[in-house]
Amino acid sequence: MRTLDLQLPGHRYPIFIGPGLLEADGLLDPYIRGRQVMVVSNTTVAPLYLDRLLARLGRFETHTHVLPDGERYKTLDTLNGIFDALLAVPCDRQVTLLALGGGVVGDIAGFAAACYQRGVPYIQVPTTLLAQVDSSVGGKTGVNHPRGKNMIGAFHQPQCVLADTDTLATLPDRELRAGLAEVIKYGLIRDAAFFAWLEAQLEALLSRQADALAHAIEQSCRNKAEVVAADEREQGQRALLNLGHSFGHAIETGLGYGTWLHGEAVAAGMVMAADLSRRLGWLDGASVERVRALIRRAGLPAAAPAELPADRLRALMAVDKKVQAGRLRLVLLEAIGRAVVTGDFDPDALAATLAECRGPAAAAAVAP
Ligand SMILES: NC(=O)c1ccc[n+]([C@@H]2O[C@H](COP(=O)([O-])OP(=O)(O)OC[C@H]3O[C@@H](n4cnc5c(N)ncnc54)[C@H](O)[C@@H]3O)[C@@H](O)[C@H]2O)c1
Ligand SMILES: [Zn+2]
């Protein structure tokens, strides 16, 4: 087992990474304060892993609440269902919520914990690669509003994170690849050595070799933890985690949510950010090719889908939440392993990137 400590002002918590952690006796006990535990999961993950988890929680009074599966259920209604379940028991202010699932379950259960009785502890047990390397770490929680994704939420840090790499065995291939996009992101923004390791070990990751996965998750969480520790509430450095996301969100919105997975859109977006960085003279062509090649080898799209014209993408980027005081701010690369946030770039270079980074139509771009 690998353990990382996330140190924040006033709160510190461990991230446990490795195989067999759901079976590890007593691992969670020190992080559960009261006697009640409410496990929140969904209809896909609960049949796979809920029993394993409950078997280790015999010391506690356990309850479970199973959500329908899908981003479309990441709503205030679903959140209210969790409150109903907590109050029906009833659960007291010492209850610990345990989020067992991907980022959707983690975000919504974390937000329920932030709100229930003005805040109760929770534990993240992420079961997708994306959740293990990204959403479970850092304390952002929330739900969607019909007018925007993640528009209602709170910062609420978990007591601990338990990333059992064995759970990735059942993850659909496409979800695994989408999670890899965020893994690659950490190498690009601040860890050139990790990027080089990913180039060497990509096949091991795609074939789900346990050691390779644990190393990739550990390095990703370490990088995210360092960024979050320096900037818990996204005033500055934390924005670097949005590399590829302004382009990616425009693609997700333009295609309609769910056509491409988030990680797929971010993958294309990172190549576009690299391409723009080269046009601005910040990044050399060989580095752009390294980015594009790794994304392609991971089976991820390396350009925007053909059906989204440049002006449509540009318009969608302008309404993205990263626009501050009317100016679009982007995360760009000075080198592999060094990213910067800037609003100071030539708009013609952006237009050229949007016009030229274009792949096949959406359906054909992504492996099944
Ligand atoms: N809080 C943050 O900082 C943060 C960061 C990034 C993303 N997010 C959020 O995370 C969400 C996306 O998370 P995600 O990619 O994990 O999606 P997800 O939670 O929808 O999971 C993807 C699919 O995989 C299934 N699944 C989960 N674990 C499985 C397993 N072990 N075996 C088989 N199937 C499994 C899920 O039921 C779902 O169908 C979005 O809502 C996004 O906004 C939050
Ligand atoms: Zn992301």
Side-chain angles (χ1 to χ4, degrees):
M1 181 176 81
R2 303 155 192 247
T3 307
L4 285 166
D5 267 307
L6 181 43
Q7 300 237 27
L8 297 166
H11 187 52
R12 168 181 181 173
Y13 60 91
I15 303 164
F16 302 116
I17 302 159
L21 299 190
L22 283 180
E23 274 97 23
D25 248 333
L27 186 58
L28 290 179
D29 291 17
Y31 304 96
I32 301 174
R33 259 187 259 149
R35 84 203 141 78
Q36 294 178 309
V37 175
M38 172 70 76
V39 182
V40 179
S41 190
N42 75 16
T43 48
T44 303
V45 179
L48 294 168
Y49 301 111
L50 182 60
D51 286 350
R52 248 188 252 184
L53 187 61
L54 291 177
R56 301 298 149 214
L57 297 172
R59 281 197 333 108
F60 303 94
E61 174 195 317
T62 52
H63 304 275
T64 57
H65 185 66
V66 178
L67 310 176
D69 186 2
E71 178 79 31
R72 70 181 179 284
Y73 297 107
K74 194 174 144 182
T75 61
L76 284 171
D77 264 359
T78 307
L79 180 71
N80 205 39
I82 301 178
F83 298 144
D84 290 344
L86 286 163
L87 288 164
V89 171
C91 288
D92 61 30
R93 300 178 63 176
Q94 302 295 318
V95 65
T96 295
L97 267 61
L98 224 146
L100 173 70
V104 169
V105 168
D107 276 15
I108 192 166
F111 188 38
C115 302
Y116 186 65
Q117 306 219 11
R118 299 193 184 83
V120 297
Y122 77 113
I123 291 171
Q124 293 274 18
V125 185
T127 61
T128 63
L129 182 58
L130 181 128
Q132 294 188 350
V133 301
D134 191 354
S135 61
S136 68
V137 176
K140 279 193 189 177
T141 71
V143 297
N144 302 328
H145 184 274
R147 287 184 183 271
K149 216 167 133 29
N150 298 325
M151 282 294 132
I152 322 275
F155 285 97
H156 189 49
Q157 301 291 344
Q159 299 305 111
C160 71
V161 180
L162 188 139
D164 185 337
T165 50
D166 285 347
T167 61
L168 300 179
T170 52
L171 193 66
D173 222 39
R174 193 174 164 193
E175 298 285 350
L176 183 84
R177 290 167 192 269
L180 278 176
E182 304 281 0
V183 172
I184 292 168
K185 180 187 78 180
Y186 295 112
L188 283 175
I189 60 174
R190 66 197 303 279
D191 195 339
F194 182 43
F195 188 87
W197 182 88
L198 289 168
E199 290 179 312
Q201 298 298 323
L202 188 72
E203 275 67 37
L205 290 168
L206 290 172
S207 60
R208 307 185 194 216
Q209 286 178 24
D211 273 0
L213 282 172
H215 181 79
I217 295 162
E218 181 186 18
Q219 294 309 310
S220 299
C221 288
R222 182 181 57 75
N223 275 296
K224 180 152 186 187
E226 285 171 9
V227 171
V228 172
D231 179 18
E232 186 180 357
R233 291 183 180 248
E234 195 161 342
Q235 309 292 309
Q237 228 209 96
R238 196 162 173 168
L240 296 181
L241 297 172
N242 294 322
L243 175 70
H245 282 60
S246 295
F247 294 100
H249 288 150
I251 295 171
E252 285 184 273
T253 313
L255 289 177
Y257 273 102
T259 308
W260 275 11
L261 296 178
H262 172 72
E264 292 165 345
V266 167
M270 292 192 296
V271 179
M272 295 168 87
D275 178 85
L276 176 55
S277 306
R278 180 187 58 77
R279 287 175 200 275
L280 297 168
W282 300 7
L283 189 66
D284 58 274
S287 296
V288 182
E289 280 319 308
R290 280 179 69 191
V291 178
R292 186 175 282 125
L294 187 60
I295 296 284
R296 283 208 177 123
R297 283 172 60 207
L300 290 161
E307 62 264 51
L308 289 179
D311 51 351
R312 170 101 174 104
L313 281 174
R314 182 68 187 83
L316 287 165
M317 288 175 82
V319 297
D320 195 61
K321 65 181 174 197
K322 270 88 208 171
V323 178
Q324 270 177 15
R327 177 183 258 192
L328 176 62
R329 293 171 63 77
L330 290 175
V331 186
L332 297 174
L333 294 172
E334 291 181 334
I336 285 177
R338 201 163 72 240
V340 283
V341 184
T342 181
D344 187 19
F345 54 84
D346 176 5
D348 291 343
L350 175 60
T353 289
L354 293 174
E356 288 173 34
C357 288
R358 203 142 292 280
V366 179

Coordinates of all heavy atoms in Angstrom, one line a residue, residues 236-277:
G236 N -5.2 30.6 -7.4 CA -4.1 30.8 -8.3 C -3.7 29.5 -9.0 O -4.2 29.0 -10.0
Q237 N -2.7 28.8 -8.3 CA -2.0 27.6 -8.9 C -3.0 26.5 -9.3 O -2.8 25.8 -10.2 CB -1.1 27.1 -7.8 CG 0.3 26.7 -8.4 CD 0.9 25.6 -7.6 OE1 0.9 24.4 -8.0 NE2 1.6 25.9 -6.5
R238 N -4.1 26.4 -8.5 CA -5.0 25.3 -8.8 C -5.6 25.4 -10.2 O -6.0 24.4 -10.7 CB -6.1 25.3 -7.7 CG -6.9 24.0 -7.6 CD -7.6 23.8 -6.3 NE -8.5 22.6 -6.4 CZ -9.1 22.0 -5.4 NH1 -9.0 22.5 -4.2 NH2 -9.8 20.9 -5.6
A239 N -5.6 26.6 -10.7 CA -6.1 26.7 -12.1 C -5.3 26.0 -13.1 O -5.8 25.6 -14.2 CB -6.2 28.2 -12.5
L240 N -4.1 25.6 -12.8 CA -3.3 24.9 -13.7 C -3.9 23.5 -14.0 O -3.7 22.9 -15.0 CB -1.8 24.7 -13.2 CG -1.0 25.9 -13.0 CD1 0.4 25.6 -12.5 CD2 -0.9 26.7 -14.3
L241 N -4.7 23.0 -13.0 CA -5.3 21.7 -13.2 C -6.3 21.7 -14.3 O -6.9 20.7 -14.7 CB -6.0 21.3 -11.9 CG -5.1 21.1 -10.7 CD1 -5.9 20.9 -9.4 CD2 -4.2 19.9 -10.9
N242 N -6.6 22.9 -14.8 CA -7.6 23.0 -15.9 C -6.9 23.0 -17.3 O -7.6 23.3 -18.3 CB -8.4 24.4 -15.8 CG -9.3 24.3 -14.5 OD1 -9.8 23.3 -14.2 ND2 -9.3 25.4 -13.8
L243 N -5.7 22.5 -17.4 CA -5.1 22.4 -18.7 C -6.0 21.6 -19.6 O -6.5 20.5 -19.3 CB -3.7 21.7 -18.6 CG -3.1 21.4 -20.0 CD1 -2.6 22.7 -20.7 CD2 -1.9 20.4 -19.8
G244 N -6.3 22.1 -20.8 CA -7.1 21.4 -21.8 C -8.6 21.5 -21.5 O -9.4 21.1 -22.4
H245 N -9.0 22.1 -20.4 CA -10.4 22.1 -20.0 C -11.2 23.1 -20.7 O -12.4 22.9 -20.9 CB -10.5 22.1 -18.5 CG -10.3 20.8 -17.8 ND1 -9.0 20.2 -17.9 CD2 -11.0 20.0 -17.0 CE1 -9.1 19.1 -17.2 NE2 -10.3 18.9 -16.6
S246 N -10.7 24.3 -21.0 CA -11.5 25.3 -21.7 C -11.8 24.8 -23.1 O -13.0 24.9 -23.5 CB -10.7 26.6 -21.8 OG -10.5 27.2 -20.5
F247 N -10.8 24.2 -23.8 CA -11.1 23.6 -25.1 C -12.1 22.4 -24.9 O -13.0 22.3 -25.6 CB -9.8 23.1 -25.7 CG -8.9 24.2 -26.1 CD1 -7.8 24.5 -25.3 CD2 -9.0 24.9 -27.3 CE1 -6.8 25.4 -25.6 CE2 -8.1 25.9 -27.6 CZ -7.0 26.2 -26.8
G248 N -11.8 21.6 -23.9 CA -12.6 20.4 -23.6 C -14.0 20.7 -23.3 O -14.9 20.0 -23.8
H249 N -14.3 21.7 -22.4 CA -15.6 22.0 -22.1 C -16.4 22.5 -23.3 O -17.6 22.2 -23.5 CB -15.7 23.1 -21.0 CG -15.3 22.6 -19.6 ND1 -14.7 23.4 -18.7 CD2 -15.4 21.4 -19.1 CE1 -14.4 22.7 -17.6 NE2 -14.8 21.4 -17.8
A250 N -15.7 23.3 -24.2 CA -16.4 23.7 -25.4 C -16.8 22.5 -26.3 O -17.9 22.5 -26.8 CB -15.4 24.7 -26.2
I251 N -15.9 21.5 -26.3 CA -16.2 20.3 -27.1 C -17.4 19.6 -26.5 O -18.3 19.2 -27.2 CB -15.0 19.4 -27.3 CG1 -13.9 20.1 -28.1 CG2 -15.4 18.1 -27.9 CD1 -12.5 19.4 -28.1
E252 N -17.3 19.4 -25.2 CA -18.4 18.7 -24.5 C -19.8 19.4 -24.7 O -20.8 18.7 -25.0 CB -18.1 18.6 -22.9 CG -17.1 17.7 -22.5 CD -16.9 17.6 -21.0 OE1 -16.2 18.4 -20.4 OE2 -17.6 16.7 -20.4
T253 N -19.8 20.7 -24.5 CA -21.0 21.4 -24.7 C -21.5 21.4 -26.1 O -22.7 21.2 -26.4 CB -20.9 22.9 -24.2 OG1 -20.2 22.9 -23.0 CG2 -22.2 23.6 -24.1
G254 N -20.5 21.6 -27.0 CA -20.8 21.7 -28.5 C -21.4 20.4 -29.0 O -22.3 20.4 -29.8
L255 N -20.9 19.2 -28.5 CA -21.4 17.9 -29.0 C -22.6 17.5 -28.2 O -23.4 16.7 -28.7 CB -20.3 16.8 -28.7 CG -19.1 16.9 -29.6 CD1 -18.1 15.8 -29.2 CD2 -19.4 16.7 -31.1
G256 N -22.9 18.1 -27.1 CA -23.9 17.7 -26.2 C -23.3 16.8 -25.2 O -22.5 15.8 -25.5
Y257 N -23.6 17.0 -23.9 CA -22.9 16.3 -22.8 C -23.1 14.8 -23.0 O -24.2 14.3 -23.3 CB -23.4 16.7 -21.4 CG -22.6 17.9 -20.9 CD1 -23.1 19.2 -21.0 CD2 -21.3 17.7 -20.5 CE1 -22.3 20.2 -20.6 CE2 -20.6 18.7 -20.1 CZ -21.1 20.0 -20.1 OH -20.3 21.1 -19.7
G258 N -22.0 14.0 -22.8 CA -22.1 12.6 -22.8 C -21.7 12.0 -24.2 O -21.5 10.8 -24.3
T259 N -21.6 12.8 -25.2 CA -21.2 12.3 -26.5 C -19.8 11.8 -26.4 O -19.4 10.7 -26.7 CB -21.4 13.3 -27.6 OG1 -22.7 13.8 -27.6 CG2 -21.1 12.7 -29.0
W260 N -18.9 12.8 -25.9 CA -17.6 12.4 -25.5 C -17.5 12.4 -24.0 O -18.1 13.2 -23.4 CB -16.6 13.4 -26.1 CG -16.1 13.2 -27.5 CD1 -16.6 12.3 -28.4 CD2 -15.0 13.8 -28.1 NE1 -15.9 12.3 -29.5 CE2 -14.9 13.3 -29.4 CE3 -14.1 14.8 -27.8 CZ2 -14.0 13.6 -30.4 CZ3 -13.1 15.2 -28.7 CH2 -13.1 14.6 -30.0
L261 N -16.7 11.5 -23.5 CA -16.5 11.5 -22.0 C -15.6 12.7 -21.7 O -14.9 13.2 -22.6 CB -15.8 10.3 -21.6 CG -16.6 8.9 -21.7 CD1 -15.7 7.8 -21.3 CD2 -17.9 9.0 -20.9
H262 N -15.7 13.2 -20.5 CA -15.0 14.4 -20.1 C -13.5 14.2 -20.4 O -12.8 15.1 -21.0 CB -15.2 14.6 -18.6 CG -14.3 15.7 -18.0 ND1 -14.5 17.0 -18.3 CD2 -13.2 15.6 -17.2 CE1 -13.6 17.7 -17.7 NE2 -12.8 16.9 -17.0
G263 N -12.9 13.1 -20.1 CA -11.5 12.9 -20.3 C -11.1 12.9 -21.8 O -10.0 13.3 -22.2
E264 N -12.0 12.4 -22.6 CA -11.8 12.4 -24.1 C -11.7 13.9 -24.6 O -10.8 14.2 -25.4 CB -12.9 11.7 -24.8 CG -12.8 10.2 -24.5 CD -14.1 9.4 -24.9 OE1 -15.2 10.0 -25.1 OE2 -14.0 8.1 -24.9
A265 N -12.6 14.7 -24.1 CA -12.6 16.1 -24.5 C -11.4 16.8 -24.0 O -10.8 17.6 -24.7 CB -13.9 16.8 -24.0
V266 N -11.0 16.5 -22.8 CA -9.8 17.1 -22.2 C -8.6 16.7 -22.9 O -7.6 17.5 -23.2 CB -9.7 16.8 -20.7 CG1 -8.3 17.1 -20.1 CG2 -10.8 17.5 -19.9
A267 N -8.5 15.4 -23.4 CA -7.4 15.0 -24.2 C -7.2 15.8 -25.4 O -6.1 16.3 -25.7 CB -7.6 13.5 -24.5
A268 N -8.3 16.0 -26.2 CA -8.2 16.8 -27.4 C -7.8 18.2 -27.0 O -7.0 18.9 -27.7 CB -9.6 16.8 -28.1
G269 N -8.4 18.7 -25.9 CA -8.1 20.1 -25.4 C -6.6 20.3 -25.1 O -6.1 21.3 -25.3
M270 N -6.0 19.2 -24.5 CA -4.6 19.4 -24.1 C -3.7 19.5 -25.4 O -2.7 20.2 -25.4 CB -4.1 18.2 -23.2 CG -4.8 18.3 -21.9 SD -4.1 17.1 -20.7 CE -4.5 15.5 -21.4
V271 N -4.1 18.7 -26.4 CA -3.3 18.8 -27.6 C -3.5 20.2 -28.2 O -2.5 20.8 -28.7 CB -3.7 17.7 -28.7 CG1 -2.9 17.8 -30.0 CG2 -3.5 16.3 -28.1
M272 N -4.7 20.7 -28.1 CA -5.0 22.1 -28.7 C -4.2 23.1 -27.9 O -3.7 24.1 -28.5 CB -6.5 22.3 -28.7 CG -7.2 21.4 -29.7 SD -9.0 21.4 -29.5 CE -9.4 22.8 -30.6
A273 N -4.1 23.0 -26.6 CA -3.4 23.9 -25.8 C -1.9 23.8 -26.1 O -1.2 24.9 -26.2 CB -3.6 23.6 -24.3
A274 N -1.4 22.6 -26.4 CA 0.0 22.5 -26.8 C 0.2 23.1 -28.2 O 1.2 23.9 -28.4 CB 0.4 21.0 -26.8
D275 N -0.7 22.9 -29.1 CA -0.6 23.5 -30.4 C -0.6 25.0 -30.3 O 0.2 25.7 -31.0 CB -1.8 23.0 -31.2 CG -1.8 23.6 -32.6 OD1 -1.1 23.1 -33.5 OD2 -2.5 24.7 -32.8
L276 N -1.5 25.6 -29.5 CA -1.5 27.0 -29.3 C -0.2 27.6 -28.7 O 0.3 28.6 -29.2 CB -2.7 27.5 -28.5 CG -2.9 28.9 -28.2 CD1 -2.9 29.8 -29.4 CD2 -4.2 29.2 -27.3
S277 N 0.3 26.8 -27.8 CA 1.6 27.2 -27.1 C 2.7 27.3 -28.2 O 3.5 28.2 -28.1 CB 1.9 26.2 -26.0 OG 0.9 26.1 -25.1

